């Protein structure tokens, strides 16, 4: 409808900058991807956060950072699910969706709660560790066939 028309039009305009790509939001696919974790009738930002993270990891991104307000129940639920799903036991469940090199034992994930104040040094240190893990994953994916798929997909956009 109208919303999709405007979404595509705005994204096409923004994509001319080269800083973003045209990718339509597909909420149904995002929710379907995590129906083994959450009931699809469970609406709200938790299912969307988990679904998008699981859909994008190792495809268009080499890590997931979940930022939420301090003490937010939905952010904490998403954090708990993603911590488990981006580790070995979750990767096994993901294997039918994502082909990952055998060297990967976990996928980069960082959950940050914020109350609006500057981040403490611990969060900054965790952020640096996250970046190193994401670079490692990117390097491993570049050495596999996944790289060709990712390059082709990226060049098309």
């Amino acid at each position: 409808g109208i919303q999709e028309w405007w979404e595509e039009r705005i994204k096409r305009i923004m994509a001319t900058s080269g800083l973003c790509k045209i990718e339509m939001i597909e909420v149904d696919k995002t929710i379907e991807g995590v129906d083994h974790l959450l009931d699809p009738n469970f609406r709200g930002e938790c299912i969307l956060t988990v679904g998008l993270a699981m859909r994008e990891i190792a495809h268009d991104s080499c890590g997931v950072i979940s930022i939420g307000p301090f003490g937010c129940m939905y952010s904490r639920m998403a954090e708990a699910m993603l911590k488990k799903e981006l580790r070995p036991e979750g990767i096994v469940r993901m294997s039918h969706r994502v082909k990952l090199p055998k060297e990967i034992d976990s996928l980069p994930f960082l959950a940050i709660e914020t109350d609006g104040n500057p981040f403490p040094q611990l969060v900054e240190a965790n952020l640096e560790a996250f970046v190193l893990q994401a670079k490692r994953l990117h390097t491993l994916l570049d050495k596999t066939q996944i790289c060709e798929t990712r390059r082709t997909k990226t060049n098309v956009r």
Side-chain angles (χ1 to χ4, degrees):
I2 300 267
Q3 184 175 347
E4 290 84 13
W5 182 83
W6 275 109
E7 179 186 353
E8 184 176 1
R9 184 171 182 199
I10 290 169
K11 287 181 176 181
R12 284 195 188 283
I13 291 168
M14 293 175 63
T16 60
S17 71
L19 299 174
C20 62
K21 59 187 174 191
I22 301 170
E23 183 178 2
M24 300 303 287
I25 297 172
E26 299 176 273
V27 175
D28 291 341
K29 286 185 180 178
T30 300
I31 291 172
E32 287 171 11
V34 291
D35 58 3
H36 65 289
L37 298 172
L38 287 165
D39 186 293
N41 294 317
F42 187 73
R43 303 290 183 191
E45 61 265 22
C46 182
I47 195 166
L48 296 175
T49 299
V50 174
L52 189 60
M54 300 296 287
R55 193 179 88 191
E56 296 294 318
I57 193 70
H59 286 290
D60 288 335
S61 57
C62 291
V64 174
I65 298 177
S66 175
I67 301 176
F70 182 76
C72 175
M73 179 184 68
Y74 291 119
S75 291
R76 288 187 177 174
M77 287 172 57
E79 176 184 358
M81 283 182 256
L82 289 171
K83 271 186 179 177
K84 186 173 182 180
E85 292 304 302
L86 299 177
R87 296 288 176 245
E89 61 271 11
I91 292 172
V92 169
R93 286 188 289 275
M94 284 177 58
S95 63
H96 68 282
R97 295 184 176 122
V98 180
K99 300 293 184 238
L100 295 171
K102 294 187 187 321
E103 300 92 355
I104 296 176
D105 57 352
S106 67
L107 295 165
F109 172 68
L110 178 62
I112 299 174
E113 287 187 339
T114 182
D115 59 2
N117 289 316
F119 292 130
Q121 286 182 333
L122 180 62
V123 172
E124 290 183 24
N126 288 339
L127 209 56
E128 288 177 18
F130 170 83
V131 169
L132 291 173
Q133 291 170 345
K135 282 183 178 180
R136 178 179 172 256
L137 176 61
H138 179 73
T139 301
L140 285 169
L141 292 177
D142 259 356
K143 292 178 181 177
T144 66
Q145 282 292 68
I146 296 169
C147 172
E148 295 305 314
T149 308
R150 293 173 80 220
R151 275 200 194 109
T152 304
K153 192 175 179 184
T154 304
N155 290 341
V156 171
R157 293 182 186 164

